[in-house]
Structure formats: C-alpha cells, structure tokens
Amino acid sequence: MLTAAQLSTVVNEVLTDAPPRVVLDLGGVTFCDSQGLGTLVVLSRKASRSQSLLVLTNVGDFLLRVLDITGLRSALMIRNGHPAG
C-alpha cells in the first residue's frame, strides 16, 4: 500500500529531472481519502511549476466519482484508455 507521503516523495524525486510528463497509473488504487486527493492536486501543481505534466491513468470509477463530487476532476489531467505515445 502506497501512502500519500510515499507517493509525494517519489513524484518529487522524479520532478527534480523536470521530465515533460509524469504518469501515475492508478489502476491498483482501491481507496483514496482527502489526504490522497490533496496530494494529487499538490503534485499536479508542483509538476506544472516544473514545466511537467502530471497525468493520471487507469483511474477507477469510484475515484472518478470522488473527483466529480469534490470538483477536483477538472483540476487533474486524467487519461483513461490508450496511453499517449
């Protein structure tokens, strides 16, 4: 189980090299609380400041519903389906 703090540490390390895109595969995520949601938003903003793009893939229906309810879906880049080349 990856916690929000662990995710933040890993993404922050990746962002030190300022890649054009950081893709998070959320296919195995079965739970996400307010701390996890906040972490995704903060990491998305950090990526933007690093001129990177944080992309969420394989976002499950439950998480999509949570993002809709909280109004965060529009704040995050979500690419379900075929990954971009």
Side-chain angles (χ1 to χ4, degrees):
M1 176 190 235
L2 187 66
T3 67
Q6 290 169 313
L7 176 63
S8 186
T9 298
V10 170
V11 173
N12 283 322
E13 288 174 5
V14 169
L15 287 175
T16 60
D17 293 330
R21 176 177 25 198
V22 177
V23 179
L24 297 181
D25 184 339
L26 301 180
V29 174
T30 57
F31 175 78
C32 186
D33 62 8
S34 60
Q35 183 179 9
L37 294 174
T39 298
L40 291 174
V41 172
V42 167
L43 292 175
S44 179
R45 290 180 181 158
K46 284 184 178 181
S48 182
R49 284 194 302 271
S50 297
Q51 301 197 355
S52 295
L53 182 62
L54 183 73
V55 180
L56 309 179
T57 63
N58 296 315
V59 180
D61 289 340
F62 91 93
L63 186 51
L64 288 174
R65 281 192 299 275
V66 170
L67 293 172
D68 284 337
I69 291 167
T70 59
L72 293 175
R73 188 171 184 170
S74 62
L76 300 168
M77 177 68 63
I78 298 170
R79 293 285 182 248
N80 282 344
H82 300 293

